[in-house]
Amino acid sequence: GARELPELKTLGMDSGKPPSMEQAPLSFLTAVVMGSAGLGVPAPIADWLGVQVGRYLDPFIDGDVEPQLYEKRSAGLFMTRLERAWKDPAVSTQELEMRAKCGASNKLPVSPAVALTAYVRHCITKMNTCMGFSAHIPGMGRQPLGAGEQERHVKQLGAALVAAIGRDFAAPHRSIASLPITANLVTELAQAHLRACVLYQNELSNALARANMEGEEARRQERMRIWGYSS
């Protein structure tokens, strides 16, 4: 069944200590997806992992892979892809130096749980920003989907993401600590993230409207000054 997500204010971020993956995996995953916590690995490793996740998933999400090539392009486990990428010598000098500084020039310094967390985060956040809003409307921007369309989107995302995890991760690696990644969990996380995106968009729209009003008033005052009607 569906798990109730923790309230964001209870995730322990005020103390500066993000939730523990091992002790509170649901809070940890929620905080990562909502952007209030990192992956719990050094920043260079987190950045590298984010790039690898995007390189693999984005062509599918963006529709750049033809359906008949899905199986070929997704063959093999994601952890194997990461291990191969980490050992690839044909990379920039900066990446080679980063590997050496991490003290893991040969051994992949990313656990399956961390890789899965990054994978889930990328799928939810990118699919919501791409599919949770309408096409751009001049003068209005991208408007959020209606409630019914949002519900259908997050349910489809939940089912699709769990199916993708089943293809890309070995059975023992489909959980984050004690937390299995289920369709219901993904749906709940996607709903929470999309709701936050919509609220943030509203805040930006309101701020822009206020700035436009203040700018218009400033221009009016300047016209009055130029015409000699105000000092």
Side-chain angles (χ1 to χ4, degrees), residues 49-216:
L49 178 58
V51 169
Q52 300 305 319
V53 172
R55 283 178 178 171
Y56 173 58
L57 291 175
D58 284 353
F60 294 96
I61 295 175
D62 296 338
D64 295 334
V65 180
E66 296 293 334
Q68 63 269 23
L69 297 177
Y70 282 174
E71 290 189 9
K72 180 179 180 181
R73 288 288 297 271
S74 63
L77 297 174
F78 186 62
M79 291 305 296
T80 302
R81 290 175 178 273
L82 290 182
E83 290 167 357
R84 186 164 57 244
W86 185 257
K87 295 177 182 178
D88 184 4
V91 296
S92 67
T93 302
Q94 291 88 343
E95 181 166 332
L96 291 174
E97 291 175 350
M98 181 273 289
R99 295 179 190 174
K101 287 180 180 179
C102 291
S105 57
N106 293 317
K107 180 177 174 57
L108 177 68
V110 174
S111 69
V114 170
L116 180 58
T117 302
Y119 185 105
V120 170
R121 176 185 64 183
H122 189 86
C123 287
I124 290 176
T125 56
K126 178 152 186 174
M127 288 297 291
N128 272 349
T129 52
C130 289
M131 308 298 293
F133 296 81
S134 68
H136 180 266
I137 302 173
M140 296 181 63
R142 298 182 63 213
Q143 297 301 300
L145 298 179
E149 291 176 302
Q150 286 187 25
E151 183 177 359
R152 183 165 56 252
H153 159 69
V154 295
K155 284 184 177 179
Q156 290 176 339
L157 176 55
L161 180 48
V162 168
I165 290 171
R167 291 190 297 269
D168 287 336
F169 289 84
H173 299 157
R174 295 172 191 165
S175 298
I176 297 172
S178 60
L179 179 70
I181 305 303
T182 65
N184 284 335
L185 173 59
V186 172
T187 296
E188 292 293 322
L189 285 168
Q191 284 177 328
H193 177 264
L194 183 55
R195 186 162 53 246
C197 288
V198 172
L199 290 174
Y200 183 56
Q201 182 192 52
N202 290 341
E203 290 179 2
L204 294 178
S205 296
N206 291 337
L208 178 60
R210 288 193 299 271
N212 286 337
M213 291 177 61
E214 292 170 359
E216 184 58 34

